[in-house]
Amino acid sequence: MVVHQTFVVRIPEKLAPEQAAPLLCAGVTAYSPLKQFMGCDRVVRGGILGLGGVGHLGVIIAKAMGHHVTVISSSNKKREEALEILGADAFIVSSNEAEMEGAASSLDYILDTVPAFHPLHHYLSLLTVEGKLIIVAAVPKPLQFDAVDIILGKRSISGSFIGSMEETQEILEFWADKGLTTMIEIVKKEYANKAFERMERNDVRFRFVLDVAGSNLE
């Protein structure tokens, strides 16, 4: 394969290819909007909405940046994974009114990784003054919010799409320098269809990586 040098990144020697693979899409998608909070002179309090492929990397990246991280999910199913495995500081179930009220006006940002329709009203209330809701998932239907939710508190809603080639190289170096680990399941080509079926059922923690070199290509 011949590729123009502009579109090539170098994988650090101490970063295994299978570890690097998810960073080239999901990883840089989370890293690109979060890098704006690097170098703050105080502890940044961030929220990660959704704990899937992008969301779990968002948690790892935000924690590595020194943020206080709260995972926001629709159920309790991933509470243990978020807190015990990924190292999040807090976990909120969005349908639990008491938990949502307790976290009101507490977050500097929310990285919204949910690819399905969801009303934004409840999540905007979690943001502090000048807090940011950053949408990185391509939701197929229009999202809705009340203007007063952003007028009060000078909150803002923005979006981010993957990242630049420079940022892709940055996330690879960041991962290697911090000694971070991507949570993946390696599969061979002959398992690809089954992997797609499992992915549709949300039965993967948290990214499949296809081992082409180890597959039977005949």
Side-chain angles (χ1 to χ4, degrees):
M1 180 181 294
V2 179
V3 182
H4 192 281
Q5 64 182 12
T6 303
F7 304 105
V8 174
V9 292
R10 182 184 63 82
I11 297 177
E13 290 185 4
K14 55 184 179 180
L15 185 61
E18 63 270 20
Q19 285 287 314
L23 304 179
L24 302 177
C25 182
V28 70
T29 295
Y31 174 83
S32 180
L34 291 183
K35 64 179 289 189
Q36 66 183 288
F37 301 102
M38 293 177 69
C40 290
D41 57 1
R42 62 177 180 82
V43 176
V44 175
R45 302 181 66 89
I48 306 296
L49 177 55
L51 196 63
V54 177
H56 100 280
L57 290 172
V59 174
I60 296 173
I61 293 167
K63 285 298 297 180
M65 290 179 175
H67 300 178
H68 180 283
V69 179
T70 297
V71 171
I72 309 162
S73 187
S74 58
S75 73
N76 251 323
K77 293 180 180 178
K78 298 180 180 179
R79 181 183 292 270
E80 183 176 352
E81 290 173 316
L83 299 175
E84 303 299 329
I85 299 177
L86 297 175
D89 300 287
F91 187 94
I92 297 174
V93 177
S94 58
S95 58
N96 186 315
E97 292 186 10
E99 290 186 1
M100 291 291 284
E101 289 178 4
S105 303
S106 67
L107 302 177
D108 295 303
Y109 70 82
I110 295 175
L111 186 70
D112 186 347
T113 72
V114 178
F117 175 80
H118 53 288
L120 301 181
H121 169 73
H122 295 300
Y123 307 111
L124 288 168
S125 68
L126 300 179
L127 294 173
T128 186
V129 174
E130 296 187 345
K132 299 180 179 181
L133 176 65
I134 308 166
I135 298 172
V136 296
V139 182
K141 295 182 179 180
L143 296 176
Q144 301 174 347
F145 66 93
D146 294 329
V148 69
D149 291 329
I150 59 175
I151 293 173
L152 297 178
K154 298 177 66 176
R155 301 176 177 117
S156 62
I157 300 173
S158 63
S160 182
F161 180 66
I162 310 182
S164 66
M165 293 304 300
E166 180 180 358
E167 289 170 330
T168 305
Q169 186 66 61
E170 287 178 12
I171 182 63
L172 293 173
E173 301 289 347
F174 180 84
W175 217 256
D177 291 344
K178 298 284 187 179
L180 304 176
T181 301
T182 313
M183 298 183 65
I184 59 173
E185 182 176 339
I186 302 173
V187 300
K188 300 187 186 302
K189 178 183 71 67
E190 46 269 31
Y191 191 79
N193 289 340
K194 181 66 69 174
F196 268 108
E197 293 174 2
R198 286 180 53 194
M199 187 172 63
E200 291 176 342
R201 299 195 304 268
N202 197 27
D203 179 24
V204 54
R205 294 294 184 271
F206 281 94
R207 268 292 197 260
F208 284 119
V209 174
L210 184 61
D211 178 11
V212 177
S215 300
N216 181 6
L217 302 180
E218 295 182 358

Coordinates of all heavy atoms in Angstrom, one line a residue, residues 41-83:
D41 N -4.6 25.0 35.6 CA -4.0 25.1 36.9 C -4.9 24.7 38.0 O -4.7 25.0 39.2 CB -3.6 26.6 37.1 CG -4.7 27.6 36.9 OD1 -5.9 27.1 36.7 OD2 -4.5 28.8 37.1
R42 N -6.0 24.0 37.7 CA -6.9 23.4 38.7 C -7.4 22.1 38.2 O -7.2 21.7 37.0 CB -8.1 24.4 38.9 CG -8.9 24.6 37.7 CD -10.1 25.5 37.9 NE -10.9 25.7 36.7 CZ -11.8 24.8 36.3 NH1 -12.1 23.7 36.9 NH2 -12.5 25.1 35.2
V43 N -8.0 21.4 39.1 CA -8.6 20.1 38.7 C -9.8 20.3 37.8 O -10.8 20.9 38.3 CB -8.9 19.2 39.9 CG1 -9.6 17.9 39.5 CG2 -7.7 18.9 40.7
V44 N -9.8 19.8 36.6 CA -11.0 19.9 35.7 C -11.9 18.7 36.0 O -11.5 17.6 36.2 CB -10.5 19.8 34.2 CG1 -11.7 19.8 33.3 CG2 -9.6 21.0 33.9
R45 N -13.2 19.1 36.1 CA -14.2 18.1 36.4 C -15.0 17.8 35.1 O -15.7 18.6 34.6 CB -15.2 18.6 37.5 CG -14.5 18.9 38.8 CD -15.4 19.4 39.9 NE -16.3 18.3 40.3 CZ -16.1 17.4 41.3 NH1 -14.9 17.5 41.9 NH2 -16.9 16.5 41.6
G46 N -14.8 16.6 34.6 CA -15.4 16.2 33.3 C -16.4 15.1 33.4 O -16.3 14.3 34.3
G47 N -17.3 15.1 32.5 CA -18.3 14.0 32.4 C -18.1 13.3 31.1 O -17.9 13.9 30.0
I48 N -18.3 12.0 31.1 CA -18.3 11.2 29.9 C -19.6 10.5 29.8 O -20.0 9.7 30.6 CB -17.2 10.1 29.9 CG1 -15.8 10.7 30.2 CG2 -17.2 9.3 28.6 CD1 -15.3 11.6 29.1
L49 N -20.4 11.0 28.8 CA -21.8 10.5 28.5 C -21.7 9.3 27.6 O -21.4 9.4 26.4 CB -22.6 11.6 28.0 CG -24.1 11.2 27.7 CD1 -24.8 10.6 28.9 CD2 -24.8 12.5 27.2
G50 N -22.0 8.1 28.1 CA -21.9 6.9 27.3 C -20.6 6.2 27.5 O -19.6 6.8 27.4
L51 N -20.7 4.9 27.7 CA -19.5 4.1 28.0 C -19.3 3.0 27.0 O -19.3 1.8 27.3 CB -19.5 3.5 29.4 CG -18.1 3.1 30.0 CD1 -17.1 4.2 30.1 CD2 -18.3 2.4 31.3
G52 N -19.1 3.4 25.7 CA -18.9 2.4 24.6 C -17.4 2.5 24.2 O -16.5 2.8 24.9
G53 N -17.2 2.3 22.9 CA -15.9 2.4 22.3 C -15.2 3.7 22.5 O -14.0 3.8 22.9
V54 N -15.9 4.8 22.2 CA -15.3 6.1 22.3 C -15.3 6.6 23.8 O -14.4 7.1 24.3 CB -16.1 7.2 21.5 CG1 -15.5 8.6 21.7 CG2 -16.0 6.8 20.0
G55 N -16.4 6.3 24.5 CA -16.6 6.7 25.8 C -15.5 6.1 26.8 O -15.0 6.8 27.6
H56 N -15.2 4.8 26.6 CA -14.3 4.2 27.6 C -12.9 4.8 27.3 O -12.1 5.0 28.3 CB -14.3 2.7 27.4 CG -13.2 2.1 26.6 ND1 -13.2 2.1 25.2 CD2 -12.0 1.5 26.9 CE1 -12.1 1.5 24.8 NE2 -11.4 1.2 25.8
L57 N -12.6 5.2 26.1 CA -11.3 5.8 25.8 C -11.3 7.2 26.3 O -10.3 7.7 26.8 CB -11.0 5.8 24.3 CG -10.7 4.4 23.7 CD1 -10.6 4.5 22.2 CD2 -9.4 3.9 24.3
G58 N -12.4 7.9 26.3 CA -12.6 9.2 26.9 C -12.3 9.2 28.4 O -11.6 10.1 28.9
V59 N -12.7 8.2 29.1 CA -12.5 8.1 30.5 C -11.0 7.9 30.7 O -10.4 8.6 31.6 CB -13.2 6.9 31.1 CG1 -12.8 6.7 32.6 CG2 -14.7 7.1 31.0
I60 N -10.3 7.0 30.0 CA -8.9 6.8 30.2 C -8.1 8.0 29.9 O -7.2 8.4 30.6 CB -8.4 5.6 29.3 CG1 -9.2 4.3 29.7 CG2 -6.9 5.4 29.3 CD1 -8.9 3.1 28.7
I61 N -8.4 8.7 28.8 CA -7.7 9.9 28.4 C -7.9 11.0 29.4 O -6.9 11.7 29.9 CB -8.2 10.4 27.0 CG1 -7.7 9.4 25.9 CG2 -7.6 11.8 26.7 CD1 -8.4 9.6 24.6
A62 N -9.1 11.3 29.8 CA -9.4 12.3 30.8 C -8.7 12.0 32.1 O -8.1 13.0 32.8 CB -10.9 12.4 31.0
K63 N -8.7 10.8 32.6 CA -8.0 10.5 33.8 C -6.5 10.7 33.7 O -5.8 11.2 34.6 CB -8.3 9.0 34.2 CG -9.7 8.8 34.8 CD -9.9 9.5 36.1 CE -8.9 9.1 37.2 NZ -9.2 9.9 38.5
A64 N -6.0 10.3 32.5 CA -4.5 10.5 32.3 C -4.2 12.0 32.2 O -3.0 12.3 32.5 CB -4.1 9.8 31.0
M65 N -5.1 12.8 31.9 CA -4.9 14.3 31.9 C -5.1 14.9 33.3 O -4.9 16.1 33.5 CB -5.9 15.0 30.9 CG -5.6 14.7 29.5 SD -6.8 15.5 28.4 CE -6.1 15.1 26.8
G66 N -5.4 14.1 34.3 CA -5.6 14.5 35.6 C -7.0 15.1 36.0 O -7.2 15.7 37.0
H67 N -8.0 14.8 35.1 CA -9.3 15.2 35.4 C -10.0 14.4 36.4 O -9.7 13.2 36.6 CB -10.2 15.2 34.1 CG -9.6 16.1 33.0 ND1 -10.2 16.1 31.8 CD2 -8.5 16.9 33.0 CE1 -9.5 17.0 31.0 NE2 -8.5 17.4 31.7
H68 N -11.0 15.0 37.1 CA -11.9 14.3 38.0 C -13.1 13.8 37.0 O -13.7 14.7 36.4 CB -12.5 15.1 39.1 CG -13.5 14.5 40.0 ND1 -14.8 14.2 39.6 CD2 -13.4 13.9 41.2 CE1 -15.4 13.6 40.6 NE2 -14.6 13.4 41.6
V69 N -13.2 12.5 36.8 CA -14.1 12.0 35.8 C -15.4 11.4 36.3 O -15.3 10.5 37.2 CB -13.3 11.0 34.9 CG1 -14.3 10.4 33.8 CG2 -12.1 11.7 34.3
T70 N -16.5 11.8 35.8 CA -17.8 11.2 36.1 C -18.4 10.6 34.9 O -18.5 11.2 33.8 CB -18.8 12.3 36.6 OG1 -18.3 12.9 37.8 CG2 -20.2 11.7 36.9
V71 N -18.7 9.3 35.0 CA -19.3 8.6 33.9 C -20.8 8.7 34.0 O -21.4 8.5 35.1 CB -18.9 7.1 33.8 CG1 -19.8 6.3 32.8 CG2 -17.4 7.0 33.5
I72 N -21.5 9.0 32.9 CA -23.0 9.2 32.9 C -23.5 8.1 32.0 O -23.2 8.1 30.8 CB -23.4 10.6 32.4 CG1 -22.7 11.7 33.2 CG2 -24.9 10.7 32.6 CD1 -22.7 13.0 32.5
S73 N -24.4 7.2 32.5 CA -24.9 6.1 31.8 C -26.4 6.0 32.0 O -26.9 6.5 33.0 CB -24.2 4.8 32.1 OG -24.5 3.7 31.3
S74 N -27.0 5.2 31.1 CA -28.5 5.1 31.2 C -28.9 4.0 32.2 O -30.1 3.9 32.5 CB -29.1 4.8 29.8 OG -28.5 3.6 29.3
S75 N -28.0 3.2 32.6 CA -28.3 2.2 33.6 C -27.1 1.9 34.5 O -26.0 2.4 34.3 CB -28.7 0.9 32.9 OG -27.6 0.2 32.3
N76 N -27.2 1.0 35.5 CA -26.2 0.6 36.4 C -25.3 -0.5 35.9 O -24.3 -0.8 36.5 CB -26.8 0.2 37.7 CG -26.6 1.2 38.8 OD1 -25.6 1.8 38.9 ND2 -27.6 1.3 39.7
K77 N -25.5 -1.0 34.7 CA -24.8 -2.2 34.2 C -23.3 -2.0 34.1 O -22.6 -2.9 34.3 CB -25.4 -2.5 32.8 CG -26.8 -3.0 32.8 CD -27.3 -3.4 31.4 CE -28.8 -3.8 31.4 NZ -29.2 -4.1 30.0
K78 N -22.9 -0.8 33.8 CA -21.4 -0.6 33.6 C -20.8 0.2 34.8 O -19.7 0.6 34.6 CB -21.2 0.2 32.3 CG -21.7 -0.6 31.1 CD -21.4 0.1 29.8 CE -21.9 -0.6 28.6 NZ -21.7 0.1 27.3
R79 N -21.5 0.3 35.9 CA -20.9 1.0 37.0 C -19.6 0.4 37.5 O -18.6 1.1 37.7 CB -21.9 1.0 38.2 CG -21.4 1.8 39.4 CD -22.4 1.7 40.6 NE -23.7 2.4 40.3 CZ -23.9 3.7 40.5 NH1 -22.9 4.4 41.1 NH2 -25.0 4.3 40.2
E80 N -19.6 -0.9 37.7 CA -18.3 -1.5 38.2 C -17.2 -1.4 37.2 O -16.0 -1.1 37.6 CB -18.6 -3.0 38.4 CG -17.3 -3.7 39.0 CD -17.6 -5.2 39.3 OE1 -18.8 -5.6 39.3 OE2 -16.7 -5.9 39.7
E81 N -17.5 -1.5 35.9 CA -16.4 -1.3 34.9 C -15.9 0.1 34.9 O -14.7 0.3 34.8 CB -17.0 -1.6 33.5 CG -17.3 -3.1 33.2 CD -18.0 -3.3 31.9 OE1 -18.9 -2.6 31.6 OE2 -17.6 -4.3 31.2
A82 N -16.8 1.1 35.0 CA -16.4 2.5 35.0 C -15.5 2.8 36.2 O -14.5 3.4 36.1 CB -17.6 3.4 35.0
L83 N -15.9 2.4 37.4 CA -15.2 2.7 38.6 C -14.0 1.9 38.9 O -12.9 2.4 39.3 CB -16.2 2.7 39.8 CG -17.4 3.6 39.7 CD1 -18.3 3.4 40.9 CD2 -17.0 5.1 39.7

